[in-house]
Amino acid sequence: MKRSMPIFLVASLVAILVACNGSTGGLGSVPSAVPTASADSGGPDLTPAPSSSTSPSTAPSTEPSDAPGASATPAGTPAETMIVRAYFVLGGEPGSVGLVPVLRVVPKSPAVATAAMNALLAGPTAKEAGDRTMTSAIPDGTGLLGVTIKNGVATVNLTTQFDSGGGTASMQYRLAQVVYTLTQFTTVKSVIFQIEGQTVTVFGSEGIVLDGPVGRAHYYDQLPAIFVDRPAYGAAIGNPAKVSGNADVFEAQFRVAILDASGKTLVDQPAMASCGTGCRGTFSVTLSYTVGKAQYGTLRVYDPSEKDGTPESIRDYPVWLTPAG
């Protein structure tokens, strides 16, 4: 497993007003030359929760819509850093395996797409894996040679290691990781891949064909049945908590739950995607919960069995819970 810099920074809880750009939720104050973060799921996301050595009374600060850039540094965070997303692969039972977003605190730079790619190539940390396996399908040693963005298309230039090793599944996942990482920005809708400066349309020994620029919809098969894009893995969830993403489940119906540190269910409510049973629809739900003090808990999404209600396609990961108010 590849390792990266620690991400958990301690900061005081603050409320940050987010100037939204239409329905995207991106920061309107980010300079136009800097890619802004996508909020296709809507709403703000939050920074990683404090490390285990942090007093539970010290809560993480908010991150406006995951939007890195000049105005995206949360109060209390050192001015020389910013927050970006990277997408890795979270293991689990059938229906729950697939991409997962994590947050990275990185040196502040106007080249936010480059920073996000470098965070992706650094790989997941052992701490993020928890009791499941978080991995990256991108081969060790893959280097970033450049990223350019024009007319909604990001062209990413990688070293030859990116196209080496692994079968079809591994190649599809590594392509998906790059596409989702770059399309977090509202200025990026699709991605063109280059290897050593040459545009590539066929990847791997299995001959995976890229018919022009590729976007998120090309990699729905690399998502779990219920994909939570916000909040990110290990991040603060807020109270009330807004959970959003997309799903492909029977009749578009599933459930979302929050559990406290002891495993007690605090809230478990139904949710519905905009499309289901063979198509992937978006969803956004708000959950209120009660805890006596700040603590790590679990965000769980699952699809109750039509036969007997047994939870299926379960995906859960840690989130930082806080008292309301």
Side-chain angles (χ1 to χ4, degrees):
M1 181 178 296
K2 294 180 281 188
R3 300 181 65 86
S4 68
M5 69 182 73
I7 66 170
F8 289 40
L9 296 184
V10 180
S12 299
L13 180 64
V14 294
I16 296 180
L17 299 178
V18 181
C20 293
N21 177 15
S23 63
T24 66
L27 287 180
S29 58
V30 177
S32 60
V34 179
T36 54
S38 171
D40 50 355
S41 305
D45 203 355
L46 305 173
T47 61
S51 65
S52 57
S53 61
T54 301
S55 168
S57 63
T58 304
S61 57
T62 59
E63 178 202 351
S65 301
D66 273 339
S71 60
T73 303
T77 301
E80 67 276 9
T81 63
M82 62 184 184
I83 297 170
V84 295
R85 283 180 160 228
Y87 287 78
F88 297 113
V89 184
L90 186 64
E93 298 299 321
S96 68
V97 178
L99 296 187
V100 61
V102 301
L103 304 182
R104 289 288 187 263
V105 178
V106 299
K108 187 174 181 180
S109 167
V112 291
T114 296
M117 278 300 304
N118 284 330
L120 173 64
L121 296 181
T125 67
K127 189 169 186 177
E128 287 165 336
D131 58 0
R132 294 194 178 187
T133 303
M134 186 185 293
T135 60
S136 177
I138 299 173
D140 290 326
T142 298
L144 178 66
L145 300 178
V147 181
T148 59
I149 300 171
K150 183 178 181 181
N151 297 328
V153 180
T155 299
V156 58
N157 188 10
L158 299 162
T159 59
T160 55
Q161 289 88 341
F162 183 81
D163 193 25
S164 64
T168 301
S170 174
M171 184 60 68
Q172 293 283 22
Y173 268 117
R174 73 186 69 169
L175 292 169
Q177 286 182 248
V178 172
V179 168
Y180 273 71
T181 296
L182 287 174
T183 55
Q184 71 183 275
F185 306 112
T186 56
T187 51
V188 179
K189 303 303 181 186
S190 58
V191 178
I192 291 174
F193 287 84
Q194 292 184 340
I195 299 295
E196 304 288 345
Q198 299 298 312
T199 299
V200 179
T201 56
V202 179
F203 271 103
S205 58
E206 302 297 325
I208 297 173
V209 178
L210 304 186
D211 186 16
V214 289
R216 289 194 168 198
H218 288 81
Y219 299 100
Y220 281 164
D221 288 345
Q222 282 63 55
L223 300 180
I226 307 168
F227 173 61
V228 174
D229 203 18
R230 283 179 168 78
Y233 181 100
I237 199 171
N239 194 355
K242 186 171 184 179
V243 179
S244 57
N246 58 64
D248 181 357
V249 292
F250 181 69
E251 294 185 345
Q253 300 180 64
F254 60 98
R255 299 191 70 87
V256 182
I258 297 175
L259 290 67
D260 68 11
S262 69
K264 175 185 175 181
T265 299
L266 303 177
V267 59
D268 186 331
Q269 70 183 51
M272 178 172 286
S274 60
C275 181
T277 314
C279 65
R280 189 164 284 272
T282 59
F283 69 86
S284 180
V285 297
T286 300
L287 302 89
S288 296
Y289 60 92
T290 301
V291 289
K293 63 180 181 180
Q295 59 192 273
Y296 276 108
T298 301
L299 172 65
R300 173 172 295 166
V301 292
Y302 65 95
D303 181 18
S305 166
E306 290 301 309
K307 179 180 179 180
D308 56 13
T310 301
E312 298 176 341
S313 300
I314 302 170
R315 169 168 273 208
D316 50 332
Y317 53 73
V319 289
W320 183 249
L321 308 178
T322 54

